[in-house]
Amino acid sequence: MQTKNNRFLTVLAATLWVITLHAVGLCLVVVLMIAVWSAAAEHPAEAGGFLLQVAGVLAAGAALLSCVWYALKRAGLSPAARSAVTGALACPGPVALALYLYAGQ
């Protein structure tokens, strides 16, 4: 029973992280397009500031997920369970933003 549970958690974690990474990739493409257009419109300082804000948000998200990962490790969860939980926490934000961008609203 333990191997079936571990296999399920591994597949769940992989699925959540693949969805999250695809959504983050789409969002980063849009961010880079905005930065390039801003730099081409003779506003490179604004483009740099925009990219620094995006980098700050990504760094804060990574720090938060790292804290969750290590808190779950201290709680005694298996690596597959920790990965599934952090994937479930990481997924909704980028997916919602990617759907918002895709819908063109």
Side-chain angles (χ1 to χ4, degrees), residues 10-101:
T10 303
V11 170
L12 177 65
T15 303
L16 287 169
W17 279 109
V18 165
I19 291 170
T20 302
L21 292 176
H22 276 88
V24 168
L26 173 70
C27 294
L28 287 178
V29 166
V30 172
V31 163
L32 290 175
M33 286 173 36
I34 292 170
V36 167
W37 289 337
S38 180
E42 299 177 1
H43 300 288
E46 292 176 11
F50 176 66
L51 288 175
L52 282 175
Q53 288 176 349
V54 171
V57 168
L58 289 175
L64 178 66
L65 289 175
S66 295
C67 289
V68 169
W69 174 269
Y70 286 110
L72 293 173
K73 184 176 182 179
R74 292 194 61 134
L77 267 67
S78 68
R82 288 191 308 247
S83 187
V85 170
T86 55
L89 291 174
C91 192
V95 169
L97 181 59
L99 289 174
Y100 180 78
L101 292 172

